[in-house]
Amino acid sequence: MTEHAQTANSAAAHSTASGDADSAFAASTLFRRIERADLFRVAAVLALTVTVAIIQLAVANPTWTLRLTVSCTVVGLVIGCWPIVKGSWEDLRARKMSMDLSMLIAIVAAAAIGQWLTSLVIVVFVLLAEILEDLCMWQGKDALSDLMSFLPDRVRVRIDESKTGNVPLSRIHPGQVVVVAPGGRIPVDGIVIAGASNVDESRITGESMPVYHDVGSAVYSGSVNQDGALEIEVLQVGEDSSYGRIVRALADAQSSSAPVQRLADTLATALVLIAVVGAVATWFLTGDLRSAISVIIVAGSCGVVAGTPLAMLASMARVARRGAFVKDGLHMESLSKVDTVIFDKTGTLTSGAPEVTRVIAATGVDESELLAVAASAESYSEHPLGKAIVRYAAAHKVGIHAVEHFESVAGRGVRCTVEGMAIVAGTRSFMPQIDEEGVGGAATVSDMQNPSAWSSDSMSDALDAQSSVYISRNGRYIGRILLADALREHAADAIASLHSQGVRVIMLTGDREEVAVAVARQLGIRHAHAELLPEDKAALLKQEKGAGHRVAMVGDGVNDAPVLALADVGIAMGSGTDIARESADVILISSDINDVTSLLFTARRARGIIMFNFAGTIIVDVLGMILAAFGILTPLLSAIVHVGSESAFILNSARLIPGREKRLNHPRK
């Protein structure tokens, strides 16, 4: 055998052993989830059930066997029915019918007519079904709550150039520098200031491959450092970090109740009432008490009562694994009904980090002078275009002047005073209406708006650039700055995927018409609206909702916050502003718009599973009650149908629970 083959076989053997170990660990973990009292209760009732079965099969019913059978049954019912009695009492106090109550009635009735073995078998089935339900719910919650204990309690902090110290994570604040050793968990959001390493970001962004980070790279709390030491300047920590927001939102989500859950509870109550009425009617019409009891036994709705929240939790856990988290089960349900997705362009479909491509000064104005004025005016702006201009000025060592009376007008631009001069920077329509004479040879707004006054090169640049910022000084236009904003990676694929799901896609932007058309054409978007103010975007969204569409809005900026709040589901990019994230119902930590398609697919899949459980429960219960009323289903067979169908529907929901993913530790640079 060659060395290569030996190595391959060794790796395969290790993989098999690892898989077996993982399976054994998972099984033992699940077993430990079961409460000891529940295990004892099931074991005791099962032993008594077997005893009664042996007695009835092996002995020809002398008096002493009847007494022993009754005694075993009574003991088994007392031990096994306690959780059922407790649940029934709580439901009665809440003035609602429940499956616990209907099953208790069936168990007592079966014992009352001498169906000793049947009553015990029903108890065993009910107890096993409850354990299965609890295990599945634990799995669903674990997929979310395993995030809670992941971050380290203590963090290594750099004190000076030669000294570090360990402090509690709760005492870390922005501006400090933390040191993360190879294999360590990154406890904060921050910027790498020293070192380089591959980082596993799968818990935060859903990226299965490690991502290479070096100086200047942004890293997320909840990631795992792999093969190199990193020094990270803290930007956000605790609940303000990306990981903290996930933990807080998912903790809130576990206690929320979606409308579909209330529908499941209503269905459960209706099925119990129908079963009780059907049992009474069967007894009245046939006089067969066994058939009447079978009608009550066969009806079950725990499959939808337990399966519905399990499906919601599991679906939220699944999308969280991909770097998106939903703040409430209500929003997950709303996502499943979305038929229209509206994207804001800048920072969503595009990278949101535009770069200056050209500075075009009007006649008689120096380019550096124009850049200095524009950068000064934009120095307080939070808009990506303004920040790009400031970065460009700094890179070209152009000085920025002090600013007074700064005012930002959403969707249009900024006004301020710089060295006593009134400066306006923004869209073409935001420029002040001024005379055409100009000062010092500078072109006026009228000149600017006349394309014939532009050179052919300027016109080409204006059309090629995705955005233009126009600047005026003391009411005179002094030039414009062209900027380009690259499309996000895989944006076109995401749009195509949404179209394949039958989703309408609309793009909104405050940018120029020709820019919007160009971007929409590249991405395959059929509906695009340009030169919109925030109120225009809100009006358009209201129009879509008024037409009967279920709308999800995807954005990342301050301008998007009102529209995100108006949408049926607001989706904010994780790289966006704090106000946009607070206004949104869903946050994409990875800022990957492919996650939008995954969100919709998972939400629709969860709803499909829930609706299947609803329909299946109704069909099985109605058919089962009819067969039981005609005596075709005995009490024992009814119990088997009841528990079997409930278990099937619960396990159907459990299919959404994300498994443990195996990740390859290959660096990606």
Side-chain angles (χ1 to χ4, degrees):
M1 182 181 294
T2 65
E3 180 180 352
H4 178 75
Q6 289 175 343
T7 303
N9 285 346
S10 174
H14 175 75
S15 176
T16 302
S18 176
D20 293 342
D22 287 344
S23 299
F25 175 78
S28 63
T29 300
L30 279 178
F31 184 77
R32 287 197 298 269
R33 287 291 190 193
I34 304 174
E35 293 186 10
R36 295 294 174 264
D38 291 339
L39 285 175
F40 167 77
R41 189 175 289 112
V42 170
V45 177
L46 183 60
L48 291 169
T49 302
V50 172
T51 301
V52 170
I54 292 173
I55 292 173
Q56 291 188 348
L57 291 174
V59 183
N61 290 329
T63 304
W64 69 269
T65 61
L66 179 60
R67 291 177 179 174
L68 181 58
T69 298
V70 173
S71 299
C72 289
T73 302
V74 171
V75 173
L77 294 181
V78 170
I79 295 174
C81 285
W82 168 244
I84 304 173
V85 171
K86 183 179 178 183
S88 299
W89 174 246
E90 291 175 352
D91 291 332
L92 284 173
R93 290 184 62 186
R95 296 182 179 180
K96 68 177 183 178
M97 298 293 291
S98 69
M99 294 315 300
D100 278 338
L101 182 58
S102 68
M103 293 309 295
L104 182 62
I105 295 172
I107 291 167
V108 172
I113 64 172
Q115 295 288 317
W116 315 111
L117 182 60
T118 298
S119 64
L120 287 175
V121 169
I122 295 172
V123 172
V124 171
F125 282 170
V126 171
L127 293 177
L128 289 175
E130 288 185 351
I131 289 176
L132 174 64
E133 176 186 333
D134 289 342
L135 287 178
C136 288
M137 288 301 296
W138 270 114
Q139 286 289 91
K141 290 181 179 180
D142 277 354
L144 299 178
S145 61
D146 66 351
L147 297 166
M148 307 293 184
S149 59
F150 185 74
L151 295 183
D153 294 326
R154 300 185 69 82
V155 179
R156 188 178 170 195
V157 179
R158 178 160 296 287
I159 299 174
D160 54 39
E161 292 185 1
S162 60
K163 184 178 179 181
T164 62
N166 290 325
V167 300
L169 178 59
S170 58
R171 290 174 55 188
I172 299 298
H173 56 78
Q176 289 184 293
V177 176
V178 300
V179 181
V180 182
R185 289 167 287 180
I186 296 176
V188 298
D189 287 359
I191 300 294
V192 176
I193 61 172
S197 179
N198 293 295
V199 176
D200 178 1
E201 298 180 344
S202 56
R203 283 175 173 261
I204 301 299
T205 66
E207 170 61 62
S208 60
M209 301 293 291
V211 179
Y212 181 77
H213 287 291
D214 55 11
V215 174
S217 298
V219 292
Y220 302 108
S221 62
S223 304
V224 180
N225 186 25
Q226 293 195 333
D227 48 22
L230 295 175
E231 294 192 17
I232 302 167
E233 181 180 352
V234 180
L235 296 181
Q236 293 176 315
V237 66
E239 288 192 353
D240 294 328
S241 69
S242 55
Y243 196 83
R245 291 195 300 270
I246 290 177
V247 171
R248 184 176 69 249
L250 294 183
D252 293 342
Q254 290 193 33
S255 60
S256 66
S257 179
V260 72
Q261 178 62 53
R262 294 192 287 273
L263 179 59
D265 294 337
T266 301
L267 175 62
T269 300
L271 287 174
V272 171
L273 292 174
I274 291 171
V276 172
V277 172
V280 172
T282 299
W283 188 15
F284 179 78
L285 294 173
T286 66
D288 188 346
L289 189 56
R290 293 176 74 254
S291 295
I293 293 171
S294 297
V295 170
I296 294 180
I297 293 173
V298 78
S301 61
C302 288
V304 293
V305 172
T308 298
L310 174 60
M312 298 303 293
L313 283 173
S315 60
M316 293 170 71
R318 183 172 288 273
V319 298
R321 288 284 181 90
R322 288 190 56 85
F325 68 92
V326 184
K327 294 182 179 180
D328 195 287
L330 168 64
H331 308 315
M332 197 70 193
E333 181 178 347
S334 297
L335 276 167
S336 69
K337 303 174 184 177
V338 165
D339 61 15
T340 300
V341 176
I342 297 178
F343 287 97
D344 180 71
K345 178 181 72 68
T346 306
T348 304
L349 295 173
T350 62
S351 64
E355 300 293 336
V356 173
T357 60
R358 189 172 178 186
V359 177
I360 303 176
T363 305
V365 179
D366 185 70
E367 286 188 9
S368 60
E369 178 187 358
L370 171 64
L371 184 58
V373 171
S376 299
E378 298 284 7
S379 59
Y380 289 165
S381 174
E382 290 296 319
H383 196 282
L385 298 181
K387 291 182 176 181
I389 292 173
V390 173
R391 286 196 306 270
Y392 186 81
H396 287 75
K397 303 188 185 309
V398 173
I400 295 178
H401 306 294
V403 174
E404 298 177 352
H405 311 299
F406 178 85
E407 178 190 2
S408 176
V409 181
R412 303 192 69 185
V414 299
R415 296 190 187 98
C416 63
T417 301
V418 176
E419 295 186 332
M421 294 177 288
I423 306 298
V424 177
T427 63
R428 182 190 307 178
S429 61
F430 191 51
M431 292 297 100
Q433 297 300 313
I434 59 179
D435 60 25
E436 298 186 10
E437 294 180 1
V439 175
T444 64
V445 169
S446 296
D447 294 330
M448 176 193 69
Q449 292 175 342
N450 180 11
S452 64
W454 299 357
S455 70
S456 59
D457 290 341
S458 297
M459 175 63 77
S460 176
D461 286 334
L463 293 176
D464 290 340
Q466 289 194 358
S467 299
S468 296
V469 174
Y470 300 87
I471 302 98
S472 72
R473 179 173 58 191
N474 288 336
R476 291 189 174 279
Y477 166 70
I478 60 173
R480 64 189 183 280
I481 297 177
L482 308 182
L483 303 98
D485 188 6
L487 297 178
R488 282 190 182 271
E489 188 179 6
H490 308 308
D493 294 336
I495 300 302
S497 179
L498 288 172
H499 284 151
S500 69
Q501 294 185 40
V503 178
R504 295 171 66 244
V505 177
I506 298 173
M507 184 185 77
L508 306 183
T509 180
D511 219 331
R512 295 173 296 132
E513 182 75 23
E514 58 267 28
V515 172
V517 170
V519 172
R521 184 183 299 116
Q522 291 180 68
L523 295 178
I525 296 176
R526 304 183 187 97
H527 308 284
H529 302 269
E531 301 182 16
L532 300 178
L533 297 176
E535 53 267 31
D536 299 326
K537 295 179 181 179
L540 192 144
L541 189 144
K542 290 178 181 178
Q543 179 181 334
E544 290 292 327
K545 292 179 67 175
H549 294 292
R550 295 296 185 96
V551 181
M553 173 70 194
V554 187
D556 82 324
V558 174
N559 296 347
D560 303 326
V563 194
L564 288 172
L566 281 174
D568 292 298
V569 183
I571 303 174
M573 308 297 278
S575 58
T577 60
D578 289 340
I579 187 171
R581 290 194 295 263
E582 291 299 323
S583 303
D585 307 312
V586 181
I587 298 177
L588 305 181
I589 292 296
S590 62
S591 294
D592 183 352
I593 68 169
N594 272 309
D595 290 341
V596 176
T597 65
S598 299
L599 271 170
L600 294 184
F601 176 79
T602 302
R604 290 179 174 186
R605 184 184 175 197
R607 184 170 180 82
I609 286 175
I610 291 171
M611 291 300 104
F612 177 87
N613 290 350
F614 271 64
T617 296
I618 294 172
I619 292 171
V620 170
D621 283 8
V622 171
L623 183 59
M625 284 187 281
I626 292 173
L627 294 176
F630 282 96
I632 298 174
L633 289 181
T634 65
L636 184 57
L637 288 175
S638 296
I640 294 173
V641 171
H642 174 107
V643 176
S645 62
E646 285 187 355
S647 300
F649 295 136
I650 291 172
L651 291 174
N652 186 40
S653 294
R655 292 190 298 125
L656 284 167
I657 298 174
R660 295 179 179 273
E661 299 177 4
K662 295 182 179 179
R663 296 183 172 87
L664 300 175
N665 295 324
H666 299 313
R668 187 186 72 180
K669 298 187 180 181

